Amino acid sequence: MAISKAMACLLLMFFSLLVIDKGVEASHKIFPEFQSLQTSNVVGIRRTGYHFQPVKNWINGPMYYNGLYHLFYQYNPKGVVWGNIVWAHSVSTDLINWFPLEPAIFPTDSFDIDGCWSGSATILPGNKPVILYTGIDSNQRQLQNIAIPKNLSDPFLKEWTKPDYNPLMVPPIGINHTKFRDPTTAWLGKDGYWRVLIGSVRRNRGVAFLYRSKDFIRWTKTKHPLHSAPRTGMWECPDFFPVSLKKKEGLDTSAIGDDVKHVLKVSLDLTRFEYYTVGHYFPNIDRYVPDNTSADDSTGLRYDYGNFYASKTFFDSAKNRRILWGWANESDTREEDTAKGWAGIQLIPRSLWLDQNEKQLIQWPIEELETLRSGELELTKIPLPKGSLIELDGITAAQADVEVTFRLRSLENAEPFDPNWLKSDAQQLCGKKDASVQGGIGPFGLLTLASTNLEEYTAVFFRVFKAQDKHVVLMCSGGPRSSLKPEPYKPSYGGFVDVDLSHGELSLRSLIDHSVVESFGAGGKTCITSRSYPSLAVDNDAHLFVFNNGTEAVKIVKLKAWTMSRPKMN
């Protein structure tokens, strides 16, 4: 989502998933008893060490401009649940160390008096950044507005103004005025028109409305949406961007050509997770057509099969890469969030590119993260027979980065894959066959945030199944043993991994940070984020193990693990 000469975009992570009785409650419900409740102390227990989060309160995207990364995010300055939302603002030179600034946008006018919600940034000709965002008026109408920097000579872009020609876009006739939000970064067509998408819904059909403008002030909705899909409900936080067929480097959002495909991602209000498709954009008719390689609905491809929502990408022109940002909510109770004084984290930025098979995206933590590594531990050629449990000593297990490659000795003992499982999702299968359930090939992987006697652990592991004509790899993370506390939401998240096992190897990388574990399977083909709230495996009492609970022996080809330092600023 950058554009023309642009460097960038920005994301606002909004919407909170609030856990109630081990269930998930959706986004914008107001909790007046919590939304302005201040805490005198911020509790450090389970607070992340190297993920971005403010000092306190509730958060829920970045822009690269003149040498600085700008992170704008939805923030409640008064409490730990959704409400009192402003656009908070931090800056960085490396996407790791962040310096906080005063909020950039807050409710002040009739077109946003009841809230300044999510949006995106675009760099206009002349190197002029602008922000498009959703404002809520006193009638709860969702309106699309623009903000511009007050002083372009200010390198931090601390102050933003709202022109008097707001709002730019209002809900179309026949569309629920409370379901019209989240403008994308705009892109510039060869015809000289800017284009932007707005998420909406029409009779339970998710819709990405397309608007066009010559001057970025007067916008007209096109006759047809860019794309829509039945039975998907409200589309939030749409994202639309090009990817190269030939290289890993990212592309400016306005890029188009024979060597380019496009990706459309939407966040589903019905299910509270996201899915994306890869396909072709036809600018002459302004329509997007997904390839017939994955489902165009809630069963389709996901960036992340765990706790990951309201994501956005931007084009980083400094390093010619597309960066993905996601947000993870708390899976604990509101009362616990209030007690500890904070809620919500930004996940580690990920580089993103199209897989060689042209069917899915690959994700990997940005290279800058490696500057936080210290105290390397390395193991090579370690056999893992059935029942193996090896502790990784010498690093801080609660705040670590682990990369491991496993070799499968044989595929003969793989469990049979029931074809009916294809009708259910991988998460259900991970729930039935967690790390404690012995299999043929697997489960094998990591036990993170583990207590000494394994009363608590957050497992990240693989299982290999034998289908009729191929082997199927399942990746799981999380689970009910992640905490002895009964209140947190503790699912066993899961996703299938589209990987060729002919070379007999599977790789796993996990970023462990007190209350979050981000995992990348098979070099970033499948990613899962889990939130964990251990009561025993905390700080220095947390342990990290490699394990194999399958009857077939596997081997650690190579393992490296590091303690992760805290950023200088955050």
Side-chain angles (χ1 to χ4, degrees):
M1 1 148 283
I3 34 88
S4 132
K5 305 174 179 178
M7 323 184 190
C9 143
L10 91 96
L11 151 76
L12 288 171
M13 310 296 181
F14 62 120
F15 295 130
S16 121
L17 302 183
L18 298 171
V19 177
I20 296 180
D21 297 332
K22 301 183 182 179
V24 176
E25 179 172 288
S27 60
H28 287 119
K29 185 172 180 179
I30 303 297
F31 301 96
E33 72 272 33
F34 293 105
Q35 68 177 18
S36 297
L37 182 62
Q38 292 285 354
T39 55
S40 57
N41 295 307
V42 176
V43 178
I45 188 170
R46 292 184 291 272
R47 182 176 175 85
T48 60
Y50 59 95
H51 283 71
F52 176 88
Q53 61 182 132
V55 172
K56 63 180 180 178
N57 296 343
W58 184 91
I59 75 160
N60 166 235
M63 168 177 72
Y64 180 78
Y65 179 74
N66 284 357
L68 285 175
Y69 296 98
H70 294 255
L71 174 61
F72 300 89
Y73 54 96
Q74 299 278 271
Y75 180 60
N76 180 354
K78 297 181 179 181
V80 297
V81 301
W82 186 89
N84 309 306
I85 296 300
V86 303
W87 276 47
H89 186 191
S90 294
V91 294
S92 173
T93 59
D94 59 5
L95 290 169
I96 298 296
N97 296 280
W98 293 94
F99 181 79
L101 302 172
E102 291 297 311
I105 305 175
F106 39 89
T108 56
D109 296 88
S110 60
F111 48 79
D112 67 5
I113 195 63
D114 270 12
C116 297
W117 290 4
S118 186
S120 302
T122 298
I123 311 297
L124 299 182
N127 200 29
K128 297 177 180 178
V130 299
I131 288 172
L132 295 176
Y133 70 98
T134 298
I136 312 302
D137 70 7
S138 58
N139 295 316
Q140 299 305 300
R141 292 191 308 160
Q142 298 178 0
L143 311 173
Q144 311 316 315
N145 305 310
I146 191 170
I148 60 178
K150 186 175 182 179
N151 180 10
L152 280 175
S153 64
D154 173 14
F156 298 113
L157 301 177
K158 292 189 293 290
E159 297 182 81
W160 293 74
T161 62
K162 306 169 187 176
D164 57 11
Y165 50 79
N166 279 311
L168 304 186
M169 292 163 259
V170 300
I173 296 173
I175 294 298
N176 186 325
H177 66 243
T178 67
K179 297 183 182 299
F180 178 71
R181 54 184 177 263
D182 311 340
T184 63
T185 294
W187 71 95
L188 184 61
K190 293 182 179 179
D191 57 3
Y193 280 91
W194 292 96
R195 290 158 172 83
V196 69
L197 299 181
I198 311 295
S200 189
V201 62
R202 188 166 50 194
R203 295 185 294 276
N204 202 35
R205 187 181 189 95
V207 177
F209 284 123
L210 180 66
Y211 282 76
R212 302 197 307 169
S213 175
K214 273 277 191 180
D215 58 8
F216 225 85
I217 297 173
R218 291 173 290 272
W219 292 83
T220 303
K221 185 174 73 69
T222 59
K223 183 178 180 180
H224 300 286
L226 179 82
H227 189 58
S228 65
R231 299 178 298 280
T232 53
M234 175 66 197
W235 281 5
E236 299 181 322
C237 304
D239 196 12
F240 186 62
F241 56 91
V243 287
S244 172
L245 297 177
K246 292 187 174 181
K247 55 187 180 181
K248 293 183 178 181
E249 285 79 5
L251 298 173
D252 179 279
T253 303
S254 296
I256 199 162
D258 294 338
D259 297 329
V260 172
K261 282 192 176 184
H262 275 75
V263 172
L264 176 63
K265 184 277 309 183
V266 295
S267 304
L268 299 180
D269 192 32
L270 284 175
T271 61
R272 310 307 299 170
F273 60 71
E274 307 182 312
Y275 83 94
Y276 73 88
T277 54
V278 178
H280 287 84
Y281 168 50
F282 298 93
N284 56 322
I285 57 173
D286 274 326
R287 301 297 287 269
Y288 166 75
V289 180
D291 295 343
N292 190 25
T293 54
S294 67
D296 187 12
D297 58 32
S298 61
T299 66
L301 293 168
R302 292 162 60 177
Y303 288 151
D304 192 296
Y305 292 85
N307 187 333
F308 186 98
Y309 199 69
S311 70
K312 203 77 163 186
T313 66
F314 77 101
F315 175 58
D316 176 7
S317 62
K319 293 193 173 183
N320 288 322
R321 57 187 177 176
R322 183 156 289 273
I323 301 296
L324 169 67
W325 277 81
W327 165 74
N329 73 296
E330 300 304 310
S331 298
D332 211 341
T333 65
R334 292 190 301 275
E335 290 80 5
E336 281 292 318
D337 294 344
T338 301
K340 68 179 185 282
W342 55 271
I345 61 171
Q346 298 291 130
L347 298 171
I348 296 300
R350 305 173 182 182
S351 295
L352 175 154
W353 64 91
L354 188 65
D355 189 12
Q356 289 181 343
N357 65 17
E358 299 182 11
K359 296 179 181 179
Q360 70 165 96
L361 298 171
I362 302 295
Q363 302 164 63
W364 199 248
I366 57 170
E367 60 185 359
E368 289 89 338
L369 183 66
E370 297 172 17
T371 64
L372 301 180
R373 290 171 168 176
S374 64
E376 179 180 302
L377 166 70
E378 182 172 0
L379 301 175
T380 58
K381 299 180 180 178
I382 305 295
L384 293 176
K386 171 187 170 183
S388 294
L389 185 69
I390 300 175
E391 181 165 8
L392 303 182
D393 290 319
I395 60 169
T396 302
Q399 195 168 305
D401 182 358
V402 187
E403 294 188 39
V404 56
T405 300
F406 298 97
R407 179 174 294 279
L408 312 181
R409 187 178 65 177
S410 169
L411 296 175
E412 292 183 5
N413 291 324
E415 301 168 74
F417 187 83
D418 186 338
N420 292 322
W421 290 342
L422 293 175
K423 298 176 182 179
S424 63
D425 63 20
Q427 180 169 322
Q428 292 176 338
L429 186 53
C430 286
K432 295 176 182 176
K433 293 180 174 289
D434 66 18
S436 67
V437 179
Q438 188 180 99
I441 304 177
F444 62 87
L446 301 172
L447 300 181
T448 72
L449 299 174
S451 59
T452 303
N453 297 317
L454 298 184
E455 301 96 335
E456 291 180 322
Y457 57 77
T458 297
V460 187
F461 62 88
F462 297 111
R463 280 181 182 270
V464 180
F465 298 91
K466 178 66 172 73
Q468 185 173 0
D469 57 350
K470 64 176 182 178
H471 286 89
V472 177
V473 177
L474 177 70
M475 177 177 167
C476 304
S477 178
R481 298 200 183 196
S482 62
S483 177
L484 291 176
K485 297 167 58 181
E487 299 88 1
Y489 180 52
K490 301 177 287 188
S492 296
Y493 292 115
F496 293 110
V497 189
D498 185 9
V499 61
D500 180 9
L501 291 180
S502 61
H503 53 45
E505 291 187 354
L506 269 173
S507 68
L508 175 65
R509 181 178 182 184
S510 288
L511 306 177
I512 306 156
D513 197 1
H514 297 277
S515 64
V516 61
V517 181
E518 292 186 68
S519 298
F520 304 80
K525 281 179 173 283
T526 298
C527 308
I528 306 178
T529 296
S530 293
R531 297 304 306 272
S532 299
Y533 304 93
S535 51
L536 299 177
V538 175
D539 295 333
N540 291 333
D541 292 323
H543 301 265
L544 176 61
F545 299 91
V546 187
F547 81 99
N548 177 23
N549 194 24
T551 58
E552 183 69 47
V554 297
K555 177 184 287 188
I556 296 174
V557 178
K558 189 172 187 178
L559 181 150
K560 287 188 175 183
W562 300 266
T563 293
M564 297 298 283
S565 303
R566 291 182 178 270
K568 298 183 182 69
M569 299 180 291
N570 211 335

